[in-house]
């Protein structure tokens, strides 16, 4: 009902010499309509991921900047970590994993320095990987839409063109006036597929780079903390 009203409003406005996307959708075959609708939903979800990821990544980076500045200025790493343990800071979780493993080794009567170094590094690497996976959790959907949406739209186009040729056979008329509307509706499916895929590909490439850069930053932080903790173990 809403689409019918929109199509009528556009028609009443007198812009009959231009493409009417709503009319193209309403006049399309039911299969092509289903494909268009699915691609529009995918496009909406893509933009939701783009907006939420941008906001989330900005907040994570701000919290990590604040945490890292305070961490290296602190006199006692463990006390600093306890004060901020409840905050959702990826660097804090990496530091917490390293400090927990360091504490277990420091409390033992005999310290295996080589084994302790490996265990501390492994604990922080594992935590770092979990944080990177959590950040990139929804990026797979962007990659899927970017690679699949054009082919889904193309399927709708092929189906619409097949339907147009069927109409030619039914009406025994191959004039452009008979063929053109069906082909326009069919090509509109490909256009929607590209509309969903292009921002998804751009966002995926951009966000993957940001996640990789942030993962490298966490790795540098983990390496510095690992050096500091193992140095303290060697002094025991």
């Amino acid at each position: 009902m809403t689409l019918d009203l929109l199509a009528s409003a556009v028609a009443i406005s007198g812009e009959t010499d231009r493409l009417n996307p709503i009319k193209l959708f309403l006049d399309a075959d039911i299969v092509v309509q289903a494909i268009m609708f699915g691609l529009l939903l995918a496009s909406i979800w893509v933009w939701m991921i783009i907006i939420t990821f941008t906001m989330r990544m900005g907040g994570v980076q701000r919290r990590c900047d604040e945490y890292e500045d305070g961490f290296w200025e602190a006199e006692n790493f463990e006390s600093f970590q306890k004060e901020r343990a409840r905050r959702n800071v990826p660097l804090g979780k990496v530091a917490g994993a390293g400090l927990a493993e360091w504490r277990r080794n420091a409390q033992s009567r005999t310290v295996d320095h080589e084994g302790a170094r490996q265990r501390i590094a492994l604990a922080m690497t594992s935590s770092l990987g979990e944080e990177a996976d959590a950040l990139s959790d929804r990026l797979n959907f962007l990659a899927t839409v970017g690679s699949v949406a054009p082919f889904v739209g193309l399927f709708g186009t092929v189906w619409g063109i097949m339907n147009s040729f069927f109409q030619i056979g039914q009406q025994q008329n191959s004039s452009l006036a008979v063929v053109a509307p069906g082909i326009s509706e069919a090509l509109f499916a490909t256009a929607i597929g590209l509309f969903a895929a292009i921002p998804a590909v751009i966002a995926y490439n951009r966000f993957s780079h940001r996640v990789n850069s942030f993962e490298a930053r966490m790795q540098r932080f983990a390496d510095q903390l690992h050096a500091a903790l193992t140095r303290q173990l060697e002094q025991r």
Side-chain angles (χ1 to χ4, degrees):
M1 179 63 71
T2 303
L3 292 175
D4 291 334
L5 293 175
L6 290 173
S8 301
V10 174
I12 293 174
S13 67
E15 297 191 20
T16 57
D17 57 335
R18 297 182 181 180
L19 287 175
N20 184 344
I22 300 176
K23 188 175 186 304
L24 289 175
F25 175 82
L26 294 175
D27 293 340
D29 182 79
I30 184 64
V31 175
V32 181
Q33 284 184 344
I35 291 172
M36 291 179 181
F37 185 72
L39 290 172
L40 286 174
L41 288 180
S43 179
I44 293 172
W45 189 246
V46 163
W47 281 105
M48 288 179 62
I49 292 176
I50 291 174
I51 294 172
T52 56
F53 183 88
T54 301
M55 296 175 62
R56 180 185 180 188
M57 200 66 189
V60 166
Q61 289 180 328
R62 285 192 299 270
R63 292 194 299 271
C64 285
D65 289 341
E66 179 184 354
Y67 179 89
E68 189 171 11
D69 291 340
F71 185 85
W72 296 121
E73 293 176 358
E75 296 181 358
N76 188 295
F77 292 157
E78 288 191 283
S79 299
F80 181 87
Q81 176 63 20
K82 289 179 180 178
E83 294 175 359
R84 292 160 177 77
R86 296 183 179 179
R87 299 184 183 181
N88 186 20
V89 183
L91 289 184
K93 294 180 180 179
V94 173
L99 288 169
E101 185 61 36
W102 172 84
R103 191 182 309 111
R104 284 191 289 269
N105 286 274
Q107 291 174 351
S108 63
R109 294 182 179 180
T110 58
V111 178
D112 178 7
H113 294 103
E114 183 60 30
R117 281 193 291 267
Q118 294 179 4
R119 287 189 291 271
I120 293 172
L122 183 61
M124 289 194 290
T125 300
S126 178
S127 178
L128 188 153
E130 291 178 359
E131 294 304 312
D133 290 342
L135 286 174
S136 60
D137 182 41
R138 295 186 178 181
L139 297 189
N140 287 334
F141 182 80
L142 297 180
T144 301
V145 172
S147 59
V148 173
F151 295 101
V152 175
L154 183 60
F155 173 76
T157 297
V158 171
W159 184 274
I161 291 176
M162 289 170 56
N163 188 51
S164 296
F165 280 111
F166 176 77
Q167 294 299 325
I168 290 174
Q170 288 290 99
Q171 300 181 23
Q172 300 294 320
N173 186 352
S174 60
S175 66
L176 189 61
V178 174
V179 179
I183 294 179
S184 297
E185 297 156 9
L187 291 174
F188 188 50
T190 298
I192 296 179
L194 294 174
F195 178 77
I198 291 173
V201 171
I202 294 174
Y204 176 77
N205 292 333
R206 177 58 182 166
F207 292 161
S208 294
H209 175 71
R210 291 187 66 179
V211 171
N212 291 337
S213 298
F214 188 74
E215 186 175 3
R217 175 187 177 180
M218 288 193 294
Q219 185 63 59
R220 290 191 297 269
F221 174 83
D223 290 341
Q224 294 172 359
L225 180 57
H226 179 266
L229 294 178
T230 54
R231 191 180 304 114
Q232 291 183 22
L233 279 178
E234 291 172 356
Q235 295 174 355
R236 290 178 177 270

